[in-house]
């Protein structure tokens, strides 16, 4: 596992081999961050990394200056490794052992970027629940982006605020952003309704 860019560019991180994970490949990770680089200045971004596993994505954000970063995983070994590595490299990463869905239900913080890498075998309804919960609970900043990594068998294009999709070597990344035109239309509708109500009064 290699950090591609930033302060620790080129550093290799070796997680324990017994962790129950499927890390994002270096090729896919590099392609993903090339996309994000066209949308964001990483410095100071507030990031939530769900199903964080080895912390691969969290470490990449941290190396590029994003802070604070919250990594959530249900496995004790993964969380322990992320904490140890964050301490070693002085990354501002808070690793939390939790069921991701419970975490989202109780989360009261919003983020610039939310990345989720659930098990590829997770059922379709659970993939959809991630997206719906994040937008219903307003956990993503208005100018933020959510990315879900998944296999070709999970279909997310029909979900709210879906923006575009990329495919790298069998890994699919679905990107979600607020539809600015749709949001403005809703605001204009609300304004028009208030004007009509005031005129009727």
């Amino acid at each position: 596992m290699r950090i591609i860019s930033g302060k620790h560019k080129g550093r290799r991180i070796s997680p324990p081999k017994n962790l129950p994970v499927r890390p994002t490949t270096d090729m896919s990770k590099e392609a993903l961050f090339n996309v994000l680089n066209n949308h964001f200045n990483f410095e100071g971004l507030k990031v939530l990394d769900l199903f964080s596993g080895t912390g691969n994505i969290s470490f990449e954000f941290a190396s590029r200056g994003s802070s604070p970063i919250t990594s959530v995983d249900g496995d004790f070994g993964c969380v322990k490794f992320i904490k140890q590595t964050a301490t070693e490299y002085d990354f501002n990463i808070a690793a939390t052992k939790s069921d991701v869905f419970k975490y989202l239900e109780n989360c009261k913080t919003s983020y610039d970027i939310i990345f989720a890498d659930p098990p590829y075998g997770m059922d379709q309804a659970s993939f959809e629940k991630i997206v719906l919960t994040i937008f219903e609970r307003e956990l993503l900043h208005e100018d933020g982006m959510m990315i879900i990594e998944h296999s070709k068998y999970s279909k997310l294009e029909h979900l709210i605020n879906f923006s575009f999709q990329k495919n790298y070597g069998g890994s699919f990344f679905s990107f979600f952003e607020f539809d600015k035109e749709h949001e403005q239309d809703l605001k204009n509708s609300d304004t028009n309704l208030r004007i009509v109500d005031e005129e009727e009064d």
Side-chain angles (χ1 to χ4, degrees), residues 38-55:
N38 292 326
H39 291 79
F40 296 97
N41 174 4
F42 292 105
E43 192 73 30
L45 283 182
K46 194 172 186 179
V47 176
L48 176 62
D49 182 11
L50 302 172
F51 305 95
S52 50
T54 61

Side-chain angles (χ1 to χ4, degrees), residues 131-132 135 140 145-148 150 154-167 172-180 182:
V131 178
L132 296 175
F135 284 109
L140 187 69
M145 182 177 283
M146 177 174 66
I147 309 100
I148 298 184
H150 58 94
S154 300
K155 306 300 181 184
L156 308 181
E157 300 94 322
H158 63 288
L159 295 175
I160 184 173
N161 292 321
F162 174 84
S163 183
F164 61 97
Q165 189 177 92
K166 298 285 186 179
N167 173 21
F172 286 74
F173 294 93
S174 288
F175 295 78
F176 296 81
E177 301 174 271
F178 285 106
D179 185 335
K180 301 298 189 302
H182 179 63

Side-chain angles (χ1 to χ4, degrees), residues 23-176:
T24 302
T25 65
D26 284 350
M27 181 190 75
S28 296
K29 183 172 67 170
E30 185 167 9
L32 167 65
F33 276 86
N34 284 341
V35 173
L36 294 176
N37 195 48
N38 292 326
H39 291 79
F40 296 97
N41 174 4
F42 292 105
E43 192 73 30
L45 283 182
K46 194 172 186 179
V47 176
L48 176 62
D49 182 11
L50 302 172
F51 305 95
S52 50
T54 61
N56 189 10
I57 297 297
S58 291
F59 301 148
E60 189 68 38
F61 273 113
S63 179
R64 296 170 187 242
S66 298
S67 176
I69 298 166
T70 301
S71 302
V72 181
D73 199 275
D75 183 78
F76 174 79
C78 289
V79 172
K80 180 181 178 182
F81 175 71
I82 294 171
K83 287 181 176 179
Q84 290 174 340
T85 306
T87 299
E88 179 181 349
Y89 288 91
D90 196 27
F91 290 150
N92 187 6
I93 299 175
T96 300
K97 183 184 180 302
S98 174
D99 173 83
V100 165
F101 296 99
K102 289 181 180 178
Y103 182 88
L104 292 176
E105 288 292 343
N106 294 301
C107 183
K108 294 179 172 57
T109 305
S110 57
Y111 299 87
D112 298 301
I113 292 182
I114 299 176
F115 178 83
D117 183 12
Y120 277 13
M122 195 172 74
D123 61 272
Q124 176 72 23
S126 295
F127 272 99
E128 295 182 2
K129 186 178 179 181
I130 294 170
V131 178
L132 296 175
T133 302
I134 285 170
F135 284 109
E136 285 175 358
R137 293 187 53 77
E138 300 180 345
L139 303 182
L140 187 69
H141 290 166
E142 185 174 329
D143 294 322
M145 182 177 283
M146 177 174 66
I147 309 100
I148 298 184
E149 182 176 352
H150 58 94
S151 75
K152 64 181 180 180
Y153 299 107
S154 300
K155 306 300 181 184
L156 308 181
E157 300 94 322
H158 63 288
L159 295 175
I160 184 173
N161 292 321
F162 174 84
S163 183
F164 61 97
Q165 189 177 92
K166 298 285 186 179
N167 173 21
Y168 306 110
S171 293
F172 286 74
F173 294 93
S174 288
F175 295 78
F176 296 81

